[in-house]
Amino acid sequence: MKHLLLLSFLMITCSGIAQSATGYFDKAMKKAEAGNTKGAIADYTKAISMNSKFVEAYQNRGVAKYKLNDLTGALADFTKAIELDTMNSDAFTGRANVNYKLMNYDASIEDCSYCLMMNPKDYIAYNLRGLAYNKIGEKKKSCSDFTKAIELGSKSAIKNKATFCK
């Protein structure tokens, strides 16, 4: 009986340790879906403190920080996600969005281009790169990217092409 209790305690303790970062991540996802962005950030932070290589937690926390207009924090989280997984096209797109909002258009273009090398069907990256090209006066490249984004199914690129490619 004593061994059974000890075994039960060890199973609970070990599973708690093994799943704690994932558990916080899952809680954060639920909070984010419910609109509790600050609560989600807190739980992503707990997940990261337990697993410093948790790429998805950095990426999702970056998205949450972006929503709260913490652009410096979002930029740091997307950059960390990219450092941990250089093939994470979504993290490149997230960082490109932050760079665009910070008016770092060249950096936004570069991140979108990396994303598109990995995922050539990412219409969000084409549309965003088109917007960044427009901001630096590269109208031909801008319109070309809007056209490609439209071909891939982007609705917002239709509006952007109509606005900027006259």
Side-chain angles (χ1 to χ4, degrees):
M1 181 72 160
K2 203 174 193 182
H3 292 284
L4 208 52
L5 285 173
L6 181 60
L7 183 61
S8 295
F9 173 76
L10 288 173
M11 286 173 53
I12 291 167
T13 304
C14 290
S15 68
I17 291 169
Q19 296 177 4
S20 56
T22 304
Y24 278 115
F25 180 82
D26 292 344
K27 283 172 48 178
M29 293 279 290
K30 288 178 182 157
K31 288 178 182 178
E33 288 171 18
N36 181 359
T37 307
K38 288 182 180 178
I41 290 170
D43 284 342
Y44 288 131
T45 301
K46 288 175 186 170
I48 290 165
S49 73
M50 294 175 177
N51 177 359
S52 64
K53 297 183 189 303
F54 203 150
V55 176
E56 295 84 359
Y58 283 106
Q59 183 174 322
N60 287 13
R61 189 174 71 174
V63 170
K65 287 179 178 180
Y66 181 85
K67 285 181 182 176
L68 294 180
N69 209 34
D70 174 6
L71 301 180
T72 304
L75 189 66
D77 281 346
F78 287 126
T79 298
K80 185 65 177 179
I82 291 165
E83 287 172 8
L84 293 170
D85 180 5
T86 58
M87 298 303 290
N88 185 334
S89 64
D90 291 337
F92 276 102
T93 305
R95 190 170 74 176
N97 265 305
V98 174
N99 276 316
Y100 182 84
K101 200 163 184 181
L102 289 169
M103 295 186 268
N104 298 331
Y105 302 120
D106 289 331
S108 183
I109 290 165
E110 186 176 334
D111 282 343
C112 286
S113 296
Y114 276 118
C115 174
L116 291 166
M117 282 191 291
M118 292 177 267
N119 183 6
K121 295 186 179 190
D122 188 335
Y123 63 80
I124 294 169
Y126 275 112
N127 188 50
L128 181 58
R129 190 173 71 174
L131 288 168
Y133 275 137
N134 180 65
K135 289 289 190 181
I136 64 168
E138 295 275 356
K139 186 173 180 173
K140 187 174 181 183
K141 289 179 180 179
S142 175
C143 296
S144 175
D145 276 357
F146 293 144
T147 299
K148 186 66 176 173
I150 293 166
E151 289 170 11
L152 294 170
S154 173
K155 302 288 185 236
S156 56
I158 295 169
K159 187 177 93 176
N160 290 334
K161 186 174 181 182
T163 302
F164 302 117
C165 303
K166 295 177 182 174

